Amino acid sequence: MPHVITQACCGDASCVYACPVNCIHPTPEEPDFGTAEMLYIDPQTCVDCGACVSACPVGAIVPGHRLTADAARFAEVNADHYPDAAPGDARFPVNANWRLPMAPIDKPTALTGAAPDEVRVAIVGSGPSAMYAADELLRHDEVRVTVYERLSAPFGLARFGVAPDHESTRSVSELFDEIARHPNIEIRLNVEIGTDITLDELRATHHAVLWAGGAPTDRPLQIPGVDLPGVQSATSVVGWYNGHPDFLRATPDLDTDRAVVIGNGNVALDVARIFTSEPDRLASTSIDRTALTALRSSRLREVVVVARRGPEHAAFTMPELIGLADSHRRVWVDPAELAGVDPADHDDPTVSAKLELLHEIAARPKPAEPFIRLSFGHTPVAVVGDERATGVEFVRTGTDETVVLDAGLVLTAIGYRGKPVPGLPFDDQHGTVRNDAGRVVADDGPVPGLFVTGWIKRGPTGFIGTNKTDSGETVANLLADAEAGALPKPDGRAVGV
Ligand code: NAP
């Protein structure tokens, strides 16, 4: 029975490289890799060898016969990605040349050309993009990596951004732990670049500085009333329930019947799911204990996740919707919101599959409280309230009709945003450091020895594993510069922190 990729898919494509018959797609070389919501196994080509299971860092792949009931739908999701496949008809022929240079290799490889005998690389940040970059760099004996992390614990969003009930996804930290045990890497915690050490000092002591600081702020929602008490960002709540030291006081007010979440990406779904989960089920997770106590006395009966566009544009991904529908189950859609929405009108199979599942959810009876209601086509125009938020005024998108939804808690979940890094050229429109495939680019061209990866390079999109390919690209360019003798020679004294 073929193997199946399930909800926790992180997209790092380790399975793609492990598979001997090239049955997992899209591969990083294929155009749809950047936009895919997960990777899919072709059931007609899979030889059931299990190599992908060992390679997956988050335990997302299971043999079909071991699928649990709440993950059963993923067999169909994988197969539907290969609609034209017939038995024995491999969609993509096995090809010895299709692997990227970043595919796993057993032995370290030597740098060539004009590369220095020792290449010292500073990585700023220790989240997924930083750790995947370190992994790539450490495949070369000449490279020494020092990771600088502002917080007292490493791994960034893998530790403080993934929902506590997504335990498989959180297990990617075990891979990062393994990378951190390499003899040629050192992780320095509690060091903030710009405060404890300047960027110039780092550059003076390393051949290359790789900025992997992520997108640490929220996109601001600019509507009247958004500064009222009772309004906060969903990401502050994520930090709060994950014990992020910056958000220990970001306790949301749960002494209210209804919370409204503005935006319907996966962050919105994560927060809504945690708010509507049985606290006893959360107790066995890594959730912050103070947050768990607060959730135990929550009075919430409904969390409404509101999108400004229609369901065909939902920002949440299919794996997360399946998780809500089949595992969490406390989710509902008002059938009236789906009137006239026909999955068959959409060519994109992911969109039509999402719409079919939304119709299925809408046809169910309302779940027990507290539950999540997914709502569409409402653009927020103001947060209502005098001394604190009492609701949100929306306009039905594309009309003049306004609707007020009462709520004592309002969360904005409209995406992350990168912030300018002193000393690095910033693209204000995209919230990224200006770069060309990871090489930092100033007005007069690439800046030798300065690189970026992760969300500060490409913007806040994709999954944890997306950073593997992204960092692979940056590191390939960094090493190419090393071999071309294009990295500046560090001549400063070592910084003792
Ligand atoms: P996101 O996926 O970009 O979603 C942002 C949402 O905010 C969209 O619904 C967007 O609507 C809406 N929005 C933006 N501006 C708005 C405005 N002015 N008024 C009202 N709505 C507005 O952001 P995210 O949820 O923060 O996720 C960031 C990335 O992390 C994504 O790639 C996500 O998949 C990933 N992530 C993954 C997981 C997981 O795999 N479990 C968990 C968390 C995050 P429009 O579409 O109309 O612009």
Side-chain angles (χ1 to χ4, degrees):
M1 190 133 182
H3 283 62
V4 175
I5 303 185
T6 63
Q7 186 183 349
C9 177
C10 71
D12 91 348
S14 299
C15 54
V16 169
Y17 301 114
C19 174
V21 294
N22 197 10
C23 79
I24 305 177
H25 298 271
T27 71
E29 296 91 335
E30 290 165 1
D32 45 344
F33 180 76
T35 51
E37 294 192 344
M38 58 180 284
L39 305 183
Y40 308 89
I41 291 178
D42 179 353
Q44 305 291 355
T45 314
C46 174
V47 291
D48 211 13
C49 68
C52 53
V53 177
S54 318
C56 176
V58 293
I61 308 179
V62 288
H65 65 275
R66 294 238 185 93
L67 275 174
T68 52
D70 57 4
R73 206 184 291 263
F74 282 98
E76 207 180 308
V77 167
N78 280 248
D80 284 354
H81 190 72
Y82 303 91
D84 303 327
D89 163 26
R91 180 183 163 206
F92 299 93
V94 179
N95 172 358
N97 297 321
W98 61 272
R99 289 165 196 255
L100 276 180
M102 61 174 289
I105 45 178
D106 296 333
K107 287 194 205 124
T109 53
L111 294 177
T112 57
D117 292 343
E118 182 179 281
V119 180
R120 293 201 295 279
V121 181
I123 301 182
V124 182
S126 67
S129 65
M131 296 311 293
Y132 279 121
D135 191 28
E136 290 300 318
L137 287 163
L138 292 166
R139 294 168 197 275
H140 304 276
D141 276 344
E142 302 88 340
V143 180
R144 301 285 175 276
V145 174
T146 310
V147 173
Y148 294 87
E149 167 57 53
R150 178 177 73 87
L151 299 176
S152 56
F155 309 154
L157 280 187
R159 180 183 299 268
F160 294 117
V162 178
D165 60 342
H166 278 172
E167 282 154 325
S168 298
T169 307
R170 293 182 74 91
S171 67
V172 75
S173 290
E174 290 165 23
L175 170 68
F176 298 156
D177 272 328
E178 199 179 313
I179 295 166
R181 280 195 287 271
H182 193 286
N184 292 345
I185 184 173
E186 181 187 357
I187 300 187
R188 297 189 183 176
L189 301 173
N190 298 307
V191 183
E192 184 167 10
I193 306 308
T195 306
D196 303 308
I197 310 179
T198 66
L199 180 58
D200 283 345
E201 282 172 317
L202 271 195
R203 296 192 68 195
T205 50
H206 297 83
H207 295 85
V209 174
L210 172 47
W211 197 279
T217 56
D218 302 295
R219 287 186 64 199
L221 180 65
Q222 285 157 336
I223 57 172
V226 81
D227 296 325
L228 283 169
V231 184
Q232 65 185 96
S233 69
T235 55
S236 69
V237 176
V238 172
W240 170 73
Y241 59 56
N242 278 329
H244 189 303
D246 290 353
F247 297 105
L248 296 179
R249 293 178 188 197
T251 312
D253 183 357
L254 303 174
D255 189 17
T256 178
D257 283 357
R258 183 188 285 141
V260 164
V261 186
I262 296 173
N264 74 351
N266 284 344
V267 169
L269 256 50
D270 277 349
V271 172
R273 194 183 62 254
I274 294 295
F275 277 179
T276 54
S277 289
E278 276 294 339
D280 283 347
R281 284 187 67 185
L282 295 175
S284 61
T285 72
S286 60
I287 191 166
D288 179 80
R289 296 294 116 175
T290 311
L292 181 63
T293 304
L295 288 166
R296 284 192 188 284
S297 49
S298 165
R299 282 207 310 110
L300 283 176
R301 297 168 58 189
E302 187 184 43
V303 179
V304 191
V305 175
V306 188
R308 58 183 173 178
R309 296 195 285 164
E312 66 278 22
H313 298 293
F316 51 72
T317 56
M318 186 64 179
E320 291 307 303
L321 184 63
I322 292 176
L324 274 194
D326 294 349
S327 180
H328 185 68
R329 299 198 66 83
R330 290 185 175 186
V331 60
W332 189 64
V333 183
D334 183 343
E337 293 221 21
L338 298 181
V341 175
D342 185 349
D345 289 343
H346 299 273
D347 292 336
D348 182 336
T350 306
V351 172
S352 47
K354 255 185 222 178
L355 294 177
E356 271 168 28
L357 183 50
L358 286 170
H359 275 290
E360 187 185 318
I361 294 168
R364 295 177 184 174
K366 255 192 196 183
E369 294 174 346
F371 66 90
I372 301 168
R373 177 154 66 91
L374 300 174
S375 178
F376 302 94
H378 290 83
T379 301
V381 288
V383 176
V384 187
D386 293 327
E387 302 201 334
R388 57 172 300 112
T390 57
V392 183
E393 182 181 339
F394 294 94
V395 63
R396 281 193 206 283
T397 307
T399 74
D400 295 333
E401 191 188 337
T402 56
V403 193
V404 173
L405 198 53
D406 293 337
L409 176 63
V410 179
L411 302 181
T412 59
I414 66 168
Y416 291 83
R417 186 175 159 78
K419 67 174 188 194
V421 179
L424 299 183
F426 195 65
D427 173 345
D428 198 47
Q429 192 191 345
H430 299 102
T432 52
V433 166
R434 286 211 320 258
N435 73 92
D436 178 13
R439 289 186 177 101
V440 171
V441 178
D443 289 342
D444 53 353
V447 187
L450 269 185
F451 299 85
V452 283
T453 188
W455 278 1
I456 197 64
K457 170 188 173 190
R458 69 176 191 274
T461 59
F463 315 100
I464 284 184
T466 313
N467 294 295
K468 184 176 170 77
T469 318
D470 194 12
S471 292
E473 178 188 62
T474 295
V475 169
N477 284 331
L478 189 160
L479 295 175
D481 286 0
E483 292 183 330
L487 295 180
K489 193 164 169 278
D491 51 10
R493 62 181 177 77
V495 181
V497 174

